[in-house]
Amino acid sequence: LNYGVITSPFATINAAVFYISQILVPTTPVCIFVSPGTYSGGFTINDNMYLIGPANSPEPVIISGSIFATPASSDATIGLQNLTVFGLSVTGAFYDANVELNNCKILTETIFSALTLAPDDPAVSVTVSASECLFVSTDEDNVALISGNITENTSLILENCQLVSNALEGTLIDITGSLTVRNCSLLNTAAGNSLSPLILLQSGATLTPVVNIEGSILRFDDLSADVGGTKLAIQFNAPTQPITARMTNCTISIFRGTPIII
């Protein structure tokens, strides 16, 4: 039998998660240490669970399918560290979600987002903090590398992260709510004349989102003319509520057409 100790580890991450959620029912943080290798996705991480791969390991921890972070209370945190994950969805029907990502790679090879903030109830608050993470989309038809438009109570905080997308008409960040981007790099590598904004931010019905972008690089590789008027660093949509935004010490590199030489 496997008991989840170092001399008798669980064979799968799912088995460890099931044991913790059904047997231990943790009220304080519990760390699940994962050995290098490739694991199946499809499982759900609940409150006070921290899924941690080895730091500085020559062999990565790869989760080959999507996983879900689903809270069962509003005062707990779910964490991922040192992992490569093909799709992460932050969900929940009744409780606020708080998720921390550190030194992770969140990838998508489909039209779906690498990171999705999508609670079942629009009244639920979702806060995701990512530090030293890489978010990558390789599909030209990807709609949004990071998306979160279910609730205006969304808050996304990115620090020292890299976002790279090859989408022809998709954005890198598409959310309704507040956004902090600090010391990050946002890059669209696609070639086309109708590329979408790197960031698309919207206000909801009642709240005023706060946007703070500091010390970051926002860039398109493409050098063709922009015919749609959408090849922008940031596009704000504020149909009912205003948006408070501040950008400081950033580099924006966008070629929108033939320059005028005087």
Side-chain angles (χ1 to χ4, degrees), residues 166-250:
N166 191 45
L168 291 171
E169 297 183 9
T171 60
L172 274 70
I173 301 174
D174 183 355
I175 67 169
T176 300
S178 294
L179 173 67
T180 297
V181 178
R182 187 174 294 117
N183 300 325
C184 294
S185 172
L186 285 71
L187 171 64
N188 186 322
T189 60
N193 56 16
S194 59
L195 300 177
S196 294
L198 297 176
I199 299 173
L200 179 59
L201 196 133
Q202 305 174 86
S203 63
T206 60
L207 301 180
T208 299
V210 177
V211 180
N212 186 22
I213 303 177
E214 302 176 14
S216 297
I217 300 172
L218 294 84
R219 181 165 67 93
F220 291 88
D221 275 348
D222 179 71
L223 295 178
S224 61
D226 173 31
V227 299
T230 57
K231 191 178 179 183
L232 307 170
I234 309 171
Q235 179 177 327
F236 296 102
N237 291 335
T240 57
Q241 293 296 319
I243 297 173
T244 299
R246 182 181 69 174
M247 177 179 286
T248 56
N249 196 31
C250 293

Side-chain angles (χ1 to χ4, degrees), residues 43-64:
F43 56 84
T44 298
I45 306 174
N46 299 122
D47 288 355
N48 295 313
M49 292 186 189
Y50 283 76
L51 199 60
I52 302 175
N56 303 317
S57 172
E59 298 295 329
V61 173
I62 299 173
I63 301 174
S64 61

Side-chain angles (χ1 to χ4, degrees), residues 15-202:
V17 169
F18 179 82
Y19 177 83
I20 292 170
S21 61
Q22 299 296 318
I23 306 300
L24 296 183
V25 190
T27 56
T28 58
V30 174
C31 295
I32 303 172
F33 295 100
V34 186
S35 297
T38 301
Y39 301 82
S40 299
F43 56 84
T44 298
I45 306 174
N46 299 122
D47 288 355
N48 295 313
M49 292 186 189
Y50 283 76
L51 199 60
I52 302 175
N56 303 317
S57 172
E59 298 295 329
V61 173
I62 299 173
I63 301 174
S64 61
S66 296
I67 63 175
F68 304 88
T70 303
S73 68
S74 293
D75 56 356
T77 300
I78 299 168
L80 283 75
Q81 184 172 333
N82 306 330
L83 305 173
T84 296
V85 180
F86 282 82
L88 170 64
S89 294
V90 181
T91 63
F94 307 106
Y95 302 102
D96 296 341
N98 300 287
V99 177
E100 297 177 356
L101 309 176
N102 183 261
N103 193 33
C104 289
K105 296 179 181 178
I106 313 296
L107 313 176
T108 178
E109 297 175 335
T110 70
I111 64 172
F112 301 107
S113 299
L115 172 62
T116 304
L117 290 64
D120 296 333
D121 188 338
V124 169
S125 296
V126 174
T127 299
V128 174
S129 301
S131 175
E132 306 287 346
C133 291
L134 173 64
F135 299 85
V136 177
S137 167
T138 58
D139 194 307
E140 290 184 346
D141 296 321
N142 180 260
V143 176
L145 178 58
I146 299 176
S147 64
N149 287 305
I150 300 298
T151 172
E152 63 179 321
N153 298 308
T154 295
S155 180
L156 176 64
I157 303 167
L158 303 175
E159 295 196 52
N160 301 307
C161 293
Q162 296 182 57
L163 285 68
V164 182
S165 175
N166 191 45
L168 291 171
E169 297 183 9
T171 60
L172 274 70
I173 301 174
D174 183 355
I175 67 169
T176 300
S178 294
L179 173 67
T180 297
V181 178
R182 187 174 294 117
N183 300 325
C184 294
S185 172
L186 285 71
L187 171 64
N188 186 322
T189 60
N193 56 16
S194 59
L195 300 177
S196 294
L198 297 176
I199 299 173
L200 179 59
L201 196 133
Q202 305 174 86

